[in-house]
Amino acid sequence: MVLSDLGRRINNAFNELQRTPTVDSASVDQLLKSVCSALLESDVNVKLVADLRTKVKAQVSAMLNDKSASNLSEAQRRAKVQKFVFDHLVQLVDPNYAENNAAAEAASSSDSKGGPSAAVPQPPHSSGPSDIFKPKKGKPNVIMFVGLQGSGKTTSCTKLALYYQKRGFKTGLVCADTFRAGAFDQLKQNASKANIPFYGSYTETDPVAISSAGVRSFKANRFEVIIVDTSGRHKQEKELFDEMREIDAAVEPDLTIMVLDASIGQAAEAQSRAFKEAAGYGAIIVTKLDGHAKGGGAISAVAATRTPIMFIGTGEHLTDLEPFRAQPFVSKLLG
Ligand code: GDP
């Protein structure tokens, strides 16, 4: 099931709950059945789905047994149940959401004890790209990209370079992909289109040497964001991971980003774990969310590696890169 259908199915389940006269465990079970089967059909990991079901059920049962909530109207109860499900969906795509949500709730409950901002409950914080990584002005910030071949790595490197260039950073691209024929030409073409300086070689075959030299040269010229595109392979292989570790040691990135194709389904989870072990990336870019991706595999990868999504790729153009924020993403998904 593609991601937009997932949103529609969950929305339908919410509408069905709206039509039930009372919120009780039977109507909530029906809601959860529909929500969970939609998530499973979208390739979200079985354990994550089971966990969502258990937690929402526990929250609902606490609400139904809570005497102080007995004066809630049915509409208010429905809204609460929807909020429980919504929060768990957000948590699926934002590993930090639970902590941030708890902190926001604690703050708003202490505010309601009479603080000056008591009348303005703060929404739970949903982290965006600059919460994950904020390049420092006037300093070299090295970002290394990793991912499988075809995931959209080279395209995403240029998209990100353009993103930072537009925000006033002096930005350069290094092509350390010596494995795929034509990778340098592709990067060169994209970079030229976007007017971004690039570094690469047609003759040097050692990716570690190229990345070191590229980063050194950009640093010497006071570049502020230096993005290194490394090579991918068709699958996780020892050589790929060894190479990634060597490049990592040579360029000492401030941030490593893994690029994940949203359409690879359940394989995303194992792949992300393997890359996490080898490259210790700190952020994810999920690509091809404009297509017919199920997306659930990518969602499961986020949860499995507890790594936040920083951006999503929504097309082949260099401007098709959207900062990722979990709450607006889920709200939009649900339409
Ligand atoms: P790499 O091998 O990982 O460097 O992958 P490329 O950057 O060459 O991308 C592989 C293909 O995916 C190319 O045809 C890209 O245009 C396409 N692609 C990359 N990102 C996106 C995206 O967000 N949406 C769509 N529809 N296509 C994308």
Side-chain angles (χ1 to χ4, degrees), residues 130-157:
S130 54
D131 294 303
I132 298 167
F133 181 70
K134 210 173 190 166
K136 294 184 187 71
K137 273 268 169 202
K139 295 227 155 62
N141 301 271
V142 178
I143 303 175
M144 174 172 155
F145 269 64
V146 298
L148 288 188
Q149 190 168 320
S151 58
K153 207 161 25 65
T154 302
T155 312
S156 302
C157 279

Side-chain angles (χ1 to χ4, degrees), residues 148-156 159 180 186 229 287-291 313-316 320:
L148 288 188
Q149 190 168 320
S151 58
K153 207 161 25 65
T154 302
T155 312
S156 302
K159 285 178 177 178
R180 179 162 66 94
Q186 185 191 347
D229 185 15
T287 59
K288 308 185 193 179
L289 272 171
D290 51 306
T314 52
E316 295 192 75
D320 295 332

Side-chain angles (χ1 to χ4, degrees), residues 169 186 305:
F169 291 94
Q186 185 191 347
T305 60

